[in-house]
């Protein structure tokens, strides 16, 4: 009998310093033993049986390894390293083939773990080059199941169970570890080749040499049994790095999708799609294997998650990615006026772009405005490396960042920007919230406390629990969490107490008390100091620093309290809520009720005429769950004017620091202005109020 790919088999068996059997390779331990023998499929003759110990970098053997193999660290310390053993393997196999008069061979192993989960990952980490013979092999368990359909499934088979099925009388105790396994595998193969089995080895397992990039369409069907999520990746990891982590397993074409956060930057996660569920199951066994010094978590994921990240519908992107096996580089921070010629000139002749201008893809908003991002195709790794050396070089007046990218990231970035609304509006109405008018008090009385070093996951509920019995001494709406420039918790919070004595007692009692495994510092401060920090200034040992948008003299003269916006309505515990009042009917036309989503974890920022983008506190522990009748009652209640419907607040990011009110008004020229009632939401100076009330077409709040 002959095989379609070779006329001989090399029966191969191996063991690591760790787990054995079904968990081989799952603990990332090194190879310590290789045993092999050549089998001539024509004459049914065999070559010499070879056994070679491998010297591992870590000679600490597991208890299971010591028990099963009877090997010792002392014996392994005298062995050859893996690269030398692989060289000997090739030389001895070639010598045995010549003796048998054969020229080609294919490996045959007991299952796939030795090849896929041990040899390929370990040689990849050690930067060793495996010969081509290790990229094609026969899985004896699958071949046995194909020859004997009534036998157990391949994953449930072992060398011993296959021998017992055939009635082969072999005694494992009579042979050395590894030798018995190879001899028994050879006997099983001869039984399969006999007239009773008449088996033909025709379809070997294959291992992909290289990961193939390519586009993914949202119309594709992705089997959820083939997708995993990898978490904990270094932020600079590329798709090739991830493919190397899963070396030995076959990833589907374009099957690596790096996940991005809300700022469009990589978040350390990736979705990986394999060619079948068997490969996915092997990938799950690499949970907490290492990429460099970091361990990577591997979990199951769904096809829907993969399509959400990697799928796209843009014809422009599909055409851009149609050039296969290209290296993709992402450029970030391009001037908005940059053209294709500018980018090609920046890269230079030493970094030729595939197809010239056709190898460039500028990322734009739906209205055609540039985002400052672009993707570039290079035909080889050498050109891509030359381009990456230009990281943070200057184009125009801006430095440009260059990173490795993937086809999935191209789709993800385009999907993100193309789905961005031109004019953001408030979220879909859910429940009514009518906050009472409230201002943050100012003054020199030290009736406030500052909490520093809070866990970033801490909410107002956690702060109230941290305060304990002192929560009864907190003023209504008196908990304020400080946000950073990205709108995230900074680890600081301010609390307004009912008196300076109460603030002093809290600072003494709670200072360095633990919250979620972190100690929190508590200091007494004044309302004025609190207000400075909430408006964007800093408070430290050097004293007070005003917000960057105001000069110190102007800030010192500014005494207007900040108004908490309507969208940050606070739901306080019962002990902190003011006494409920019965709504009074109003003769005036009832204003529309403003609705906000019930997402207690969402944080909002206050914007006034003085502060374009200061971080301040949210004022919500949760949102009031109003019954249907409350909406009608709210509509007839007398309250401070709030935003009527329709209408929306628009948040502007990225404004130059010298931007004034007139520049903002000019930017929005042509839009409908807000009614004068909106002015009640923001406390303005006379100069700002005159600008807002002057004849114009709109006002931005």
């Amino acid at each position: 009998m002959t095989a379609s790919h070779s006329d001989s088999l090399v029966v191969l068996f191996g063991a690591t310093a760790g787990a054995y059997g079904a968990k081989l390779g799952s603990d990332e331990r090194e190879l310590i033993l290789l045993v092999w023998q050549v089998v001539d499929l024509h004459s049914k003759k065999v070559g010499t049986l070879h056994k070679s110990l491998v010297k591992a970098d870590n000679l600490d053997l597991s208890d299971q390894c010591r028990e099963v193999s009877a090997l010792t660290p002392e014996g392994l310390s005298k062995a050859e390293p893996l690269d030398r053993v692989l060289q000997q393997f090739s030389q001895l196999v070639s010598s045995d083939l010549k003796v048998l008069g054969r020229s080609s061979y294919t490996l045959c192993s007991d299952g796939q773990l030795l090849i896929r989960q041990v040899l390929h990952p370990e040689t990849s980490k050690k930067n060793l080059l495996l010969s081509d013979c290790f990229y094609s092999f026969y899985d004896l368990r699958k071949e046995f199941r194909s020859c004997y359909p009534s036998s157990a499934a391949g994953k449930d088979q072992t060398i011993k169970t296959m021998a017992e099925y055939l009635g082969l009388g072999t005694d494992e105790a009579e042979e050395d570890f590894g030798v018995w396994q190879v001899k028994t595998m050879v006997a099983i193969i001869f039984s399969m080749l006999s007239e009773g089995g008449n088996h033909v080895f025709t379809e070997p397992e294959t291992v992909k040499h290289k990961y193939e990039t390519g586009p993914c369409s949202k119309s594709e069907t992705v089997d959820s049994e083939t997708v995993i999520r990898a978490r904990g990746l270094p932020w600079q990891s590329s798709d090739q790095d991830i493919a190397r982590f899963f070396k030995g397993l076959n990833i589907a074409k374009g099957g690596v999708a790096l996940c991005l956060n809300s700022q469009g930057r990589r978040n350390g996660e990736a979705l990986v799609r394999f060619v079948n569920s068997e490969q996915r199951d092997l990938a799950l066994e690499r949970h907490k294997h290492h990429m460099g010094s970091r361990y990577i978590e591997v979990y199951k994921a769904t096809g829907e998650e993969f399509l959400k990240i990697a799928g796209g519908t843009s014809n422009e992107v599909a055409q851009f990615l149609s050039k296969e096996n290209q290296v993709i580089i992402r450029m970030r921070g391009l001037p908005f006026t940059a053209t294709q010629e500018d980018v090609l000139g920046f890269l230079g002749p030493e970094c030729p772009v595939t197809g010239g201008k056709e190898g460039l893809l500028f990322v734009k908003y739906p209205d055609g405005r540039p985002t400052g991002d672009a993707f570039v195709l290079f035909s080889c790794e050498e050109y891509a490396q030359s381009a990456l050396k230009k990281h943070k070089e200057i184009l125009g007046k801006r430095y440009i960042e260059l990173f490795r990218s993937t086809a999935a990231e191209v789709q993800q970035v385009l999907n993100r920007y193309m789905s961005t609304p031109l004019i953001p509006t408030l979220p879909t109405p859910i429940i009514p919230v009518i906050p009472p008018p409230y201002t943050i008090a100012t003054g020199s009385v030290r009736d406030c406390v500052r909490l520093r070093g809070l866990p970033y996951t801490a909410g107002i509920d956690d702060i109230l629990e941290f305060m304990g019995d002192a929560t009864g001494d907190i003023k209504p709406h008196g908990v304020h969490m400080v946000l950073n420039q990205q709108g995230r918790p900074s680890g600081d919070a301010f609390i307004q107490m009912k008196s300076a004595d109460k603030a002093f007692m809290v600072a003494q009692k709670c200072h360095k008390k633990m919250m979620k495994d972190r100690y929190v510092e508590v200091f007494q401060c004044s309302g004025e100091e609190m207000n400075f920090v909430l408006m964007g200034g800093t408070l430290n040992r050097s004293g007070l620093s005003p917000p960057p948008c105001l000069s110190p003299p102007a800030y010192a003269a500014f005494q207007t309290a900040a108004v908490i916006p309507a969208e940050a309505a606070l739901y306080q515990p019962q002990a902190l809520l003011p006494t409920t009042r019965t709504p009074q009917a109003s003769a005036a036309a009832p204003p529309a009720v403003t609705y906000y989503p019930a997402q207690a974890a969402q944080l909002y920022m206050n914007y006034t005429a003085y502060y374009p983008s200061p971080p301040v506190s949210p004022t919500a522990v949760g949102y009031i769950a109003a019954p249907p009748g409350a909406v009608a009652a709210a509509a007839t209640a007398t309250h401070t004017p709030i935003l009527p419907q329709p209408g929306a607040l628009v948040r502007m990011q990225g404004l130059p620091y010298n931007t004034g009110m007139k520049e903002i008004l000019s930017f929005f020229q042509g839009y409908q202005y807000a009614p004068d009632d909106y002015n009640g939401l923001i406390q303005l100076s006379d100069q700002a109020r005159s600008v807002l009330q002057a004849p114009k077409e709109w006002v931005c709040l």
Side-chain angles (χ1 to χ4, degrees), residues 46 101 223 586 604:
V46 297
D223 185 1
S586 174
Y604 292 87

Side-chain angles (χ1 to χ4, degrees), residues 244-257:
R244 185 176 182 181
F245 175 80
F246 290 108
K247 184 69 173 177
L249 306 180
N250 294 339
I251 299 175
K253 184 177 180 179
V256 177

Side-chain angles (χ1 to χ4, degrees), residues 43 88 335 340 362 379 395-396 458 529 544 568 583 667:
S43 63
Q88 293 174 5
Q340 293 177 324
F362 286 92
S379 59
L395 174 58
E529 293 170 335
L544 289 172
F667 179 81

Side-chain angles (χ1 to χ4, degrees), residues 7 61 100 172 183 200 255 361 394 400 406 421 453 638 650 662:
D7 46 27
L61 305 182
L100 295 172
E172 186 174 358
K183 286 185 175 181
V200 180
L361 178 64
I394 303 298
I400 310 302
T406 67
T638 301
V650 178
K662 291 183 179 180

Side-chain angles (χ1 to χ4, degrees), residues 1-298:
M1 293 294 171
T2 60
S4 59
H5 290 264
S6 62
D7 46 27
S8 301
L9 295 180
V10 175
V11 179
L12 184 67
F13 177 82
T16 69
Y20 175 71
K23 289 295 182 180
L24 182 68
S26 63
D27 53 4
E28 219 174 353
R29 298 301 302 273
E30 296 173 275
L31 189 72
I32 60 171
L33 174 69
L34 274 183
V35 185
W36 69 91
Q37 187 173 31
V38 177
V39 177
D40 187 341
L41 294 176
H42 287 282
S43 63
K44 298 182 183 180
K45 295 180 180 180
V46 297
T48 304
L49 191 148
H50 301 277
K51 179 179 179 179
S52 179
L53 298 180
V54 183
K55 183 179 180 181
D57 296 335
N58 181 7
L59 294 177
D60 183 20
L61 305 182
S62 69
D63 293 339
Q64 184 185 24
C65 177
R66 291 174 182 269
E67 180 181 354
V68 173
S69 67
L71 297 175
T72 62
E74 293 76 16
L76 292 173
S77 63
K78 302 175 183 179
E80 296 287 350
L82 180 59
D83 55 341
R84 294 291 301 275
V85 171
L86 292 176
Q87 291 178 5
Q88 293 174 5
F89 171 83
S90 298
Q91 295 170 358
L92 292 174
V93 168
S94 298
S95 176
D96 289 342
L97 287 174
K98 289 181 180 179
V99 173
L100 295 172
R102 302 301 175 189
S103 59
S104 62
Y105 67 93
T106 303
L107 298 180
C108 180
S109 65
D110 172 33
Q112 306 196 31
L113 299 182
L114 176 62
I115 304 293
R116 295 191 185 274
Q117 298 286 68
V118 178
L119 279 169
H120 278 283
E122 183 173 341
T123 54
S124 177
K125 290 178 182 179
K126 295 181 177 180
N127 294 317
L128 302 178
L129 185 63
L130 278 177
S131 61
D132 290 341
C133 70
F134 290 97
Y135 288 85
S136 177
F137 67 97
Y138 288 107
D139 181 348
L140 183 58
R141 299 185 184 186
K142 288 186 177 181
E143 298 295 328
F144 188 84
R145 172 71 172 179
S146 174
C147 184
Y148 305 103
S150 61
S151 62
K155 63 180 181 180
D156 300 324
Q157 292 280 17
T158 64
I159 297 176
K160 187 174 183 179
T161 59
M162 289 187 287
E164 290 175 350
Y165 182 88
L166 296 173
L168 300 177
T170 57
D171 188 358
E172 186 174 358
E174 294 180 358
E175 302 285 356
D176 291 339
F177 178 71
V179 175
W180 176 86
Q181 283 80 357
V182 170
K183 286 185 175 181
T184 306
M185 291 169 66
V186 171
I188 292 171
I189 292 172
F190 284 156
S191 296
M192 295 168 59
L193 295 175
S194 66
E195 295 182 0
N198 199 28
H199 184 69
V200 180
F201 291 85
T202 56
E203 297 181 2
E205 299 286 321
T206 59
V207 179
K208 288 188 176 181
H209 283 75
K210 184 179 179 182
Y211 166 67
E212 298 179 272
T213 61
C216 176
S217 172
K218 285 188 178 295
S219 61
E220 287 187 34
T221 300
V222 178
D223 185 1
S224 294
E225 296 299 316
T226 64
V227 183
I228 61 94
R229 179 183 295 273
R231 182 179 297 164
L233 299 165
W235 67 269
Q236 70 271 29
S237 299
S238 67
D239 54 350
Q240 298 295 339
D241 296 322
I242 297 171
R244 185 176 182 181
F245 175 80
F246 290 108
K247 184 69 173 177
L249 306 180
N250 294 339
I251 299 175
K253 184 177 180 179
V256 177
L258 296 167
C259 301
L260 307 180
N261 60 19
S262 57
Q263 284 77 42
R265 300 177 184 271
R266 297 171 186 171
N267 64 3
E269 294 188 7
L271 294 172
V272 185
R273 177 187 178 191
F274 294 90
V275 295
N276 54 44
S277 60
E278 181 183 32
Q279 303 288 304
R280 193 281 304 265
D281 292 341
L282 292 176
L284 292 173
E285 293 295 329
R286 300 197 187 183
H287 179 60
K288 291 195 174 181
H289 282 204
H290 288 76
M291 179 183 288
S293 60
R294 299 174 65 106
Y295 72 82
I296 308 302
E297 299 174 347
V298 183

